Amino acid sequence: MSYTLNKNRKSVLFTIVLLLVINGLGSFFFHRFDLTKDKRYTLSTTSLKIVSQVNEPLFIKVYMQGDLPAEFKRLQQETRQLLEEFEAYNKNINFEFIDPLENEDDSMDNIKSLYSKGLTPVNITVDDKGKQSQAMVFPWAIAYYKNKEVNIPLLKNIMGASTTEKVIGSVQHLEFSIADALNKVTVDKQKKIAVIKGNGELQDIRMAKFLLQIRESYHIGPFTLDSVATNPINSLEALKKYDLAIIAKPTETFSDAEKQVLDQFIINGGKSLWLIDQATAEMDSLYNPAGATLAFPKDLGLNDMFFKYGFRINPDLVKDELGSPIKLATGEQGSATQYQDFNWKFAPLVYPESQHPIVKNLGGIKFDFSNSIDTLKNGIKKVVLLQSSKYSKKIGTPVEINLNMVSEETSPNHYINTGDIPMSVLLEGNFKSVYENRVLAFTQSDFKTSAKPSKMIVISDGDLIKNQLDKDGSPVELGFDQRSGNLYDNKDFMLNCVNYLLDDTGLINIRSKDLDLPLLDKNKVSDKYTQTQLLTIGLPLVILGVFGFAFTYIRKKKYSK
């Protein structure tokens, strides 16, 4: 008996010593083990780099706490586990989960405060075994660092998706949302973006939501080309101080001097984002008694530049069977008027097929009266980012566009070898100047025909960056269509374009991270509710009980001898 006791004491002592040694070694070597198949909780290199920049206390308040619907409990759990990863790598990072609706007396004040910060709640219908109820959830967090704060959206609004599918998609983007927010509050702005003006481009209020978003990460400012007429050299030198130029839906012809300024900006390594309409057609012009408008070609004087760079935007319209919904009045006018959804084929709804980080994992992107793009061989690398469906074709201009076209009947035979039309292209390489072997518009001592490598993205629809205005004239979310009530992924696509052109590819790669998140079949769970409970709750308890009984029985049998 004493031999057995001494043996047990030695085993306990050995175990304690071993644990102390392992613990001691663990204090010198830091490592987190992620046992998930898709490495869901393994922070990317970009996230770790951002975390390392947090050298003062950073606090995150998460407003998802309390009695949450089942789907949001999963989002809450995934958010907590991911924040624990961020906290583990830098002790300056701390977080707290808060229930803004916990105290009824203060809940209205809390809701107003969150509203004022731009944190809007989600009202969802909870279906619990046939019993429906309404629940308000704030799927938001706020990061505080030094004297700055930034909102963190935790729920991604996916068009046409159920609440469960939205939560699954949101989990896919959680690391990006958190890392992007930390990057905004910890890193000082460095890159500069010029929004080109002077040729009838979109007004700022029509791009307000996009400009407000990129302003959080970059310096932005309007750059008017009017001064080119009087002092082109100074205009060029001023533009060279920017890293990216955005040309959004110009409507007036560019002069040769203005083109030379833009050309030399690109040749000297400046990045550019072109949103160009080569045909004039506006949705608002259709809402008249005739329900028709004329689409006609537009000449901006940029064709020779684009041809030299390796692409051409054609003065046509893309008509796609995979269009966007449009509401039109049906029946007689008056009290009997009803509104019905129709498929509007001149507003292609594009689901990216490319695996390029700019468009990977994005949802539907809505175009309006877009044109086709041809790519030309000139040694520049080209990647088609967005293209129409295989059931699409080009419509030449001038042409009358009529709302009655929604009732046209078509068949696949109408689209033989006509589809997959490029509507957004990425170009990278050493561009050649359009003024090579040509007379310059103005004398330039440091004129270059080719110099630094550069990048540009071309989009054949100026409306892609355009946000609508509500009844009060205030801008609504970019990608939100008030006519149909749908939210498209236009904003994420535009942000990815800017990030990529400015070499912030790390954040894009986080956004396009693939996670394997299986969905539960709610119908099967509801039909077999009792069986599901027994399987998920009862079976583990039975296994634990059998194990405990067997362990006790073996132990008694062993030591009773």
Side-chain angles (χ1 to χ4, degrees), residues 73-86:
K73 285 182 180 177
R74 179 169 189 180
L75 182 58
Q76 178 200 51
Q77 179 185 3
E78 296 285 348
T79 303
R80 185 186 299 277
Q81 290 176 334
L82 199 55
L83 286 174
E84 287 174 353
E85 289 297 310
F86 280 89

Side-chain angles (χ1 to χ4, degrees), residues 279-292:
T280 299
E282 298 295 335
M283 200 66 201
D284 291 340
S285 61
L286 279 170
Y287 292 98
N288 56 55

Side-chain angles (χ1 to χ4, degrees), residues 296-346:
F296 53 89
K298 181 191 300 181
D299 184 11
L300 298 171
L302 298 172
N303 292 341
D304 55 345
M305 278 183 68
F306 293 163
F307 190 88
K308 189 72 173 182
Y309 298 155
F311 68 94
R312 175 173 52 228
I313 303 178
N314 301 303
D316 53 25
L317 297 177
V318 176
K319 186 178 182 181
D320 197 332
E321 289 294 321
L322 185 57
S324 303
I326 180 176
K327 286 186 182 296
L328 297 176
T330 59
E332 298 179 1
Q333 292 185 351
S335 59
T337 301
Q338 295 180 343
Y339 288 89
Q340 183 178 342
D341 281 339
F342 291 92
N343 181 31
W344 184 240
K345 300 173 186 178
F346 288 102

Side-chain angles (χ1 to χ4, degrees), residues 347-359:
L349 180 56
V350 177
Y351 288 91
E353 296 180 4
S354 171
Q355 290 301 302
H356 193 280
I358 292 177
V359 294

Side-chain angles (χ1 to χ4, degrees), residues 92-155:
N92 283 322
I93 299 175
N94 296 281
F95 64 90
E96 176 188 10
F97 279 74
I98 299 171
D99 181 5
L101 307 176
E102 182 179 13
N103 191 326
E104 291 186 8
D105 297 333
D106 300 330
S107 61
M108 286 307 299
D109 291 335
N110 292 337
I111 291 173
K112 290 179 182 178
S113 175
L114 293 176
Y115 259 108
S116 66
K117 294 176 181 289
L119 277 61
T120 54
V122 176
N123 293 300
I124 63 171
T125 301
V126 181
D127 190 347
D128 184 11
K129 293 185 289 184
K131 296 180 180 179
Q132 292 187 341
S133 59
Q134 294 293 318
M136 178 185 289
V137 180
F138 281 90
W140 292 89
I142 302 179
Y144 301 88
Y145 186 71
K146 296 181 179 178
N147 295 322
K148 294 191 289 186
E149 65 178 69
V150 64
N151 297 342
I152 307 176
L154 302 177
L155 181 68

Side-chain angles (χ1 to χ4, degrees), residues 171-191:
V171 172
Q172 194 116 16
H173 287 76
L174 265 182
E175 184 183 349
F176 169 80
S177 297
I178 297 171
D180 182 46
L182 299 192
N183 190 55
K184 288 175 181 175
V185 294
T186 58
V187 178
D188 293 328
K189 300 176 185 177
Q190 295 178 340
K191 303 288 180 67

Side-chain angles (χ1 to χ4, degrees), residues 381-399:
K381 179 184 176 183
K382 305 173 187 71
V383 178
V384 175
L385 299 175
L386 299 174
Q387 63 184 22
S388 64
S389 76
K390 64 180 181 179
Y391 299 114
S392 60
K393 62 181 177 181
K394 306 171 188 177
I395 304 295
T397 58
V399 64

